[in-house]
Amino acid sequence: MVESYYLFSSGELKRKDNVVRMTAPDGRFKDIKIEMTRDIYLFGETSMNTKCLNFLSTNKIPMHLFNYYGYYTGSFYPKEVNISGNLLIRQVEHYTDETRRLIIAKEIIYSASYNIYRNMRYYHQRGKDLETQLDQLKALRKLISRAKNIQELMGIEGNIHQVYYTCWSIVVNQKIDFQKRVKRPPDNMINTLISFLNSLVYTSCLSEIYVSQLNPTISYLHSASDRRFSLSLDIAEIFKPILVDRLIFSLLNKKVISESDFDTESNFCYLKKSAQQKILKAYNERLEKTIKHRELKRHISYRRLMRLECYKLIKHLMNDKNYEGFKIWW
């Protein structure tokens, strides 16, 4: 079974025969079996050479880099091998045609907002008073179909999140200071958790896009950019309520993570290394958790659902089947 490797040690990453070896400054090392590796996450200060990068590229293994504070900085994306010129043309056509682009973008927001609504309904049914916010979310979701362009759609999405975040202080049993989303840099423990886990979902989606034939730079909700894999942002939007938000609620309510797991410097807040490791363990377990798929009639992991999302988008682009984003059904 292939798996993701999360490396926190500093040292040198290099090829050693048919494995990738991480060697620490004190001489200790860890060998990573290449045939058992899906992708690699680097959180320490690591040096490597082109021989190592060529080996990873040959074996189709993406590598995601994070800085000292746990913030995502970029990815090593191997040369694409699953290439389809026809699909690439279709991807571009659906981006440049405003009408076709808007259809996909609306479905992404509709699915993401549905998952947000189900999150809050879950807690409302368990005694949290969220009736007002649920009514507001229902009203905002009705506006999605009426959006005339991407800018208007993004405005509706922003309003949905504004209402959504007012629920968090009710859902979380710990005392939290969370009024709005602040990204660069995160200014409190909730914003830090969201940023850290969002980057993990983003990179997980990127790894799944890599094994499909989709080009990760051509997106529909987010604008295509020279400096980012924007399709990952699109697909991550659907899964963040399920993988990020639910995990944050669980970690905080079970007191796995608390204020003591954070450090602050000037105007920003960041996770301690020990907290990053706890969160990564919980996140990886969540990714491997399975659910019974209603259509496939078998158990599917959350990670696999990301790949299925790519395949559903491909079918839409190729005019095989209209795209329907993933929505919670349990």
Side-chain angles (χ1 to χ4, degrees), residues 16-166:
K16 177 67 175 177
D17 299 324
N18 287 319
V19 301
V20 172
R21 174 170 291 181
M22 168 63 92
T23 305
D26 61 5
R28 291 180 301 164
F29 64 86
K30 176 181 178 60
D31 286 341
I32 301 173
K33 294 181 180 179
I34 211 72
E35 68 275 8
M36 305 296 289
T37 304
R38 176 188 297 105
D39 46 20
I40 297 173
Y41 289 72
L42 294 181
F43 290 87
E45 295 184 10
T46 307
S47 63
M48 66 193 78
N49 55 25
T50 54
K51 184 178 180 181
C52 177
L53 292 175
N54 285 331
F55 187 51
L56 292 175
S57 182
T58 300
N59 287 277
K60 311 175 189 65
I61 297 175
M63 183 166 56
H64 310 297
L65 285 71
F66 295 75
N67 67 14
Y68 172 81
Y69 300 105
Y71 301 142
Y72 172 70
T73 56
S75 294
F76 168 71
Y77 196 75
K79 178 183 177 182
E80 292 178 315
V81 291
N82 298 323
I83 300 174
S84 168
N86 191 23
L87 177 59
L88 179 60
I89 292 170
R90 296 296 181 91
Q91 265 194 269
V92 174
E93 286 175 345
H94 279 75
Y95 178 80
T96 55
D97 185 318
E98 183 70 20
T99 301
R100 288 195 282 185
R101 179 185 173 187
L102 191 58
I103 289 171
I104 299 173
K106 283 182 178 179
E107 182 59 25
I108 291 170
I109 292 298
Y110 192 74
S111 302
S113 63
Y114 181 81
N115 294 334
I116 284 172
Y117 179 83
R118 290 297 295 265
N119 276 357
M120 294 303 93
R121 196 181 77 172
Y122 171 86
Y123 283 97
H124 181 65
Q125 291 172 341
R126 281 154 181 78
K128 304 289 187 179
D129 185 8
L130 300 168
E131 187 171 355
T132 300
Q133 289 91 336
L134 286 171
D135 288 342
Q136 291 174 333
L137 289 172
K138 277 184 183 178
L140 286 168
R141 293 189 69 244
K142 291 178 180 178
L143 301 177
I144 295 172
S145 61
R146 305 175 195 171
K148 296 181 176 61
N149 51 55
I150 297 295
Q151 291 72 27
E152 189 175 332
L153 183 62
M154 292 294 280
I156 296 169
E157 186 263 351
N159 290 333
I160 288 171
H161 274 91
Q162 189 173 17
V163 173
Y164 182 43
Y165 288 142
T166 65

